[in-house]
Amino acid sequence: MRFGVNYTPSQGWFHHWLDFDLDAVRADLDAIASLGVDHVRVFPLWPVFQPNRSLIRPRAVEQLVALADAAGERGLDVNVDGLQGHLSSFDFLPAWTRTWHRRNLFTDPAVVTAQAEYLRTLAAALADRPNFIGMTIGNEIAQFAAGPPHPDPDRISAEQAGRWLATVLAACEEGAPGRTHLHAEYDASWYQDDQPFTPAHAARLGALTAVHSWVFNGTAQRHGKDGPATYGHAAYLVELSKAWADDPRRPVWLQEVGAPQPLIPAEHADRFTEATIGAVLDCPDLWGITWWCSHDVSRDLADFPELEYSLGLLTNDGAVKPAGKAVARLAAEWRGRDHSPAPRTTALVVDAGDDDLAPHRSVCAPGGPVFEAFAALAAEGVRPTAVLASRAADAEHLAARGITEVVTPDNVA
């Protein structure tokens, strides 16, 4: 069982790439390692690393490798997100894709070729590092493809999204063959009917499925700070993803999860953390849990949404917060232990329309019949999973997943 954190630098946030200080990074990594976690997810800023379509800055790549080496010296493996992309409400896109040079991020041939070269370059620079896990294409890059919520989206079809993902994942594999390369979308891929990055993309492309669990999406508003559905939201996404997976044992990575204030009050963050992790540890085929995030954002930095300032397991000056102590306790408890929970034998039927496009996937969102039925089953002590309606009578598929009972949302009180 793997425990990690998304690394948010304590000095300068992700702007630290502009005046990179390896000693400050080492101090941050020392504090992270003290929690007993085994990996970090790190975020190069795309415009800093590739400021021109034909320029990938060698010095920036060297700094990324230095960060990875420093992590390795502290026993931390490293996953690298490439196309940043979007972080904590801010977009970081190169000037050569915007305004006077506006080109679609997903379909313009010149842009896609440059993205592939950038991802290939980062992967190749780290390919010989034993602590390099692999590349994530970008942080929730699906948010650029649909609006709302994005105010200025680069609109594409689901077919175009799939072709783009295949291209950039192949570039990562070319740079670092055999590593764990994946893409990571936020919950719109599971909940938003018109999001072109679909559940099928998330559950079938890349080495494993990544889910990002944020209860400010209507879950905590509807179910409260300590409702079973709130504590169980991450586990729900893990199990929901399995409905679309072709491989019945496909690993799922809870790549982002955090305790957002004020929906999760500061005095409740440790309880939320323990309950969320406890629920998701009951999911078979879980690759790992990576908390968002390592350090709080400094109040010296302006214009962040209020919740972003306080998501760290550590304060901005490195003190361990109650949620950080909870993660440390659980990481110590699980270190070296086998993670083999029993199969979830009860499957809730998901009918989102066409399996590939999922045009009615909002049935899975908070307030939707699938979400609420899953929450009701979990509150009754059932350990539900999910199965597509098209597979609900497939005895071979059900047996491969250990499912012995199938229920529909209408049949759940």
Side-chain angles (χ1 to χ4, degrees):
M1 189 58 227
R2 307 208 62 168
F3 286 85
V5 297
N6 293 276
Y7 173 39
T8 46
S10 63
Q11 294 188 19
W13 192 62
F14 296 110
H15 305 300
H16 82 141
W17 295 109
L18 295 169
D19 48 0
F20 187 76
D21 182 342
L22 187 56
D23 288 337
V25 168
R26 287 172 174 147
D28 286 347
L29 294 173
D30 283 336
I32 291 169
S34 74
L35 299 175
V37 298
D38 59 55
H39 69 276
V40 290
R41 178 175 169 229
V42 302
F43 302 85
L45 292 186
W46 184 18
V48 174
F49 278 64
Q50 194 179 25
N52 182 274
R53 185 165 62 86
S54 60
L55 172 63
I56 300 168
R57 294 177 53 240
R59 181 62 180 145
V61 177
E62 291 170 4
Q63 290 167 342
L64 175 63
V65 173
L67 188 159
D69 287 344
E73 291 164 2
R74 288 151 180 82
L76 298 168
D77 291 343
V78 174
N79 170 262
V80 177
D81 265 47
L83 299 173
Q84 268 25 276
H86 180 83
L87 291 163
S88 301
S89 85
F90 291 96
D91 287 349
F92 295 95
L93 296 175
W96 49 271
T97 68
R98 303 289 92 184
T99 60
W100 300 101
H101 295 267
R102 178 61 183 264
R103 291 177 276 200
N104 190 290
L105 293 173
F106 307 106
T107 60
D108 183 273
V111 172
V112 176
T113 297
Q115 292 169 336
E117 181 59 25
Y118 170 61
L119 292 167
R120 187 183 299 110
T121 297
L122 296 190
L126 293 163
D128 65 345
R129 266 43 184 193
N131 67 320
F132 175 50
I133 296 170
M135 298 293 299
T136 300
I137 299 306
N139 183 51
E140 301 182 353
I141 201 161
Q143 62 93 28
F144 289 109
H150 200 278
D152 185 26
D154 289 5
R155 296 191 183 277
I156 54 172
S157 67
E159 291 77 12
Q160 289 170 321
R163 285 197 294 272
W164 180 81
L165 284 169
T167 298
V168 290
L169 285 165
C172 295
E173 180 64 20
E174 290 166 7
R179 298 290 184 161
T180 302
H181 304 303
L182 66 148
H183 66 105
E185 316 311 336
Y186 71 125
D187 58 14
S189 289
W190 309 102
Y191 296 163
Q192 185 176 330
D193 290 337
D194 63 349
Q195 168 56 246
F197 286 83
T198 68
H201 293 144
R204 299 172 189 171
L205 299 178
L208 47 73
T209 302
V211 296
H212 292 188
S213 173
W214 290 103
V215 297
F216 53 62
N217 64 1
T219 300
Q221 293 93 327
R222 185 180 184 88
H223 291 275
K225 68 180 187 302
D226 52 5
T230 303
Y231 289 153
H233 182 258
Y236 168 68
L237 279 175
V238 170
E239 293 303 322
L240 180 67
S241 77
K242 297 174 183 179
W244 276 273
D246 290 332
D247 176 0
R249 301 303 306 274
R250 180 173 167 90
V252 185
W253 180 2
L254 177 56
Q255 194 183 45
E256 278 189 28
V257 60
Q261 296 182 32
L263 290 166
I264 307 300
E267 63 274 14
H268 194 72
D270 56 345
R271 182 176 175 184
F272 172 85
T273 301
E274 289 188 349
T276 295
I277 292 175
V280 83
L281 284 171
D282 193 36
C283 297
D285 303 309
L286 182 70
W287 182 90
I289 300 166
T290 310
W291 203 262
W292 188 280
C293 52
S294 66
H295 293 75
D296 285 344
V297 178
S298 171
R299 291 281 176 177
D300 293 338
L301 296 174
D303 299 329
F304 284 82
E306 181 60 28
L307 67 89
E308 297 285 352
Y309 287 102
S310 56
L311 288 169
L313 297 176
L314 302 146
T315 65
N316 188 244
D317 59 4
V320 182
K321 296 165 63 178
K325 293 177 181 178
V327 168
R329 284 195 302 273
L330 288 162
E333 178 184 340
W334 279 87
R335 189 175 299 114
R337 283 176 56 186
D338 180 45
H339 177 258
S340 301
R344 291 183 169 225
T345 58
T346 299
L348 185 66
V349 173
V350 177
D351 187 355
D354 178 89
D355 288 355
D356 292 332
L357 301 178
H360 310 302
R361 75 194 84 162
S362 55
V363 297
C364 302
V370 173
F371 183 102
E372 300 303 327
F374 192 101
L377 288 170
E380 293 169 3
V382 179
R383 301 172 61 247
T385 187
V387 64
L388 293 180
S390 62
R391 295 171 170 173
D394 183 339
E396 183 177 351
H397 175 80
L398 299 179
R401 295 182 55 194
I403 295 168
T404 58
E405 180 184 20
V406 175
V407 297
T408 66
D410 291 342
N411 292 332
V412 178

